[in-house]
Amino acid sequence: MTPTFQFNPEIARSGPIYRAARLALLQHELMLSFKDTDAAAKKVERAVAKLAEVNATAPH
């Protein structure tokens, strides 16, 4: 069965437009991952600081 549409190498998976779009999508996903990781790290830092504060004020 032959396709009814015209093959366009510019938008094919090996074409430059596809590669540029895929790169942009991966960069966006990477930035979101960095933001999520940063938010999680800040949450851990706050928890450690709170634990250190409570530990310092607790009677021995």
Side-chain angles (χ1 to χ4, degrees), residues 2-60:
T2 58
T4 57
F5 55 88
Q6 179 71 29
F7 177 74
N8 186 344
E10 292 291 316
I11 58 174
R13 284 193 174 218
S14 61
I17 294 174
Y18 177 85
R19 286 195 306 268
R22 184 73 178 137
L23 179 61
L25 180 63
L26 291 173
Q27 287 173 334
H28 177 71
E29 289 175 357
L30 191 59
M31 291 307 298
L32 291 178
S33 176
F34 287 162
K35 287 180 183 179
D36 291 344
T37 302
D38 189 45
K42 287 179 182 179
K43 187 176 180 181
V44 170
E45 287 174 355
R46 286 193 300 270
V48 168
K50 185 176 180 181
L51 182 61
E53 180 182 331
V54 169
N55 197 25
T57 60
H60 297 295

